[in-house]
Amino acid sequence: MIFLVIGLLVGGVAVIFILQNIIPITVHFFNWEMNGSLALILILSILTGAVLSALSCLPDMINNYFEINNLKKRVKELEAQVDNYKKSIDDLSRRTGVVPASIPVPEPTITQTINSLL
């Protein structure tokens, strides 16, 4: 609901901006020439900048995606190791009759582990 309200406000401001800036202008860029209203040219410039900014962030986003997936796999491997150690301890305690001292340690969730690594 909040995004709808924000979208309507931004749309309203954009309409007001366009209506107040209808002056026709010509933009020259090397041999290329574009005619249009000031508002249209400004909005196209802003959108072009936003697209170029998003594209410049893309390599880092891809790298982070793969790194997070690798860390999730590593967490699963470590959790499997912990489970194996717990089984080994239980098996040894059953065979020897010695009960290991228990230390209450809360186990972190996968999300907490990944967040601590990042």
Side-chain angles (χ1 to χ4, degrees), residues 49-61:
V51 168
L52 291 176
S53 295
L55 288 175
S56 70
C57 294
L58 194 60
D60 285 336
M61 289 172 27

Side-chain angles (χ1 to χ4, degrees), residues 81-95:
Q81 280 183 351
V82 167
D83 288 341
N84 287 338
Y85 289 140
K86 286 180 180 179
K87 288 177 186 174
S88 297
I89 290 171
D90 289 342
D91 186 42
L92 283 173
S93 67
R94 267 188 260 118
R95 277 195 254 158

